[in-house]
Amino acid sequence: MGSDFASHTGSPPHHMRNLPGGKRIGLTTYVKIGPSPTMPQLDAPDSSTELSFIFRLLRISLILTISIVMIWLLGDVLVVVFAATLMAVILHGLAAYLKRRIGLPYKLAVALVAVLIIATIAFLFYSSGPQISDQFSS
């Protein structure tokens, strides 16, 4: 048995490659390899490729600009949608808690939570109403 790796396994190790001319190269040998017949050569881009790239950039810029303007113009609506979503999450969470702990039906638990939230807000306005009116009058 020789010390050649290829004689043991039948294939050269991964750090050695055979070139078409039969020359074997290792890690430290550099060989300039010409164009591959299977790989297409990349020539300088023609004008249609450049134009399609520019049109793609313009399209993306236009879409982003329109999206930002729409968000800016519909900002008030988006705030209301966000507040409604937040309120729905709070109602659902508290109603699910009441359903689990007390055993109320879900619809009744949602109604109870809604009434409690409205009563709490009304009590806060009632209790701090005189202070708020004093601040506005001065």
Side-chain angles (χ1 to χ4, degrees):
M1 294 263 177
S3 63
D4 186 23
F5 183 80
S7 65
H8 294 289
T9 61
S11 63
H14 70 282
H15 67 274
M16 298 184 77
R17 302 224 188 331
N18 288 327
L19 293 177
K23 296 180 183 177
R24 180 174 282 193
I25 61 170
L27 290 176
T28 59
T29 306
Y30 298 99
V31 176
K32 182 178 179 185
I33 299 175
S36 171
T38 58
M39 291 284 283
Q41 287 295 317
L42 297 176
D43 295 331
D46 58 350
S47 62
S48 66
T49 307
E50 290 176 4
L51 284 177
S52 67
F53 178 72
I54 291 171
F55 285 139
R56 189 176 333 137
L57 282 179
L58 284 174
R59 189 178 325 132
I60 291 171
S61 301
L62 185 66
I63 289 171
L64 284 174
T65 304
I66 289 173
S67 300
I68 290 171
V69 168
M70 292 296 289
I71 290 171
W72 180 54
L73 291 175
L74 298 175
D76 296 335
V77 174
L78 292 177
V79 169
V80 171
V81 168
F82 175 73
T85 304
L86 185 63
M87 193 66 181
V89 168
I90 292 171
L91 278 174
H92 171 72
L94 292 175
Y97 178 77
L98 283 179
K99 180 182 176 189
R100 247 189 342 265
R101 298 293 273 168
I102 300 175
L104 289 174
Y106 181 75
K107 289 181 180 181
L108 183 62
V110 170
L112 181 64
V113 169
V115 167
L116 286 175
I117 289 174
I118 291 171
T120 303
I121 292 172
F123 175 75
L124 287 174
F125 277 121
Y126 178 75
S127 65
S128 61
Q131 296 169 351
I132 294 173
S133 66
D134 289 341
Q135 287 181 0
F136 277 118
S137 64
S138 54

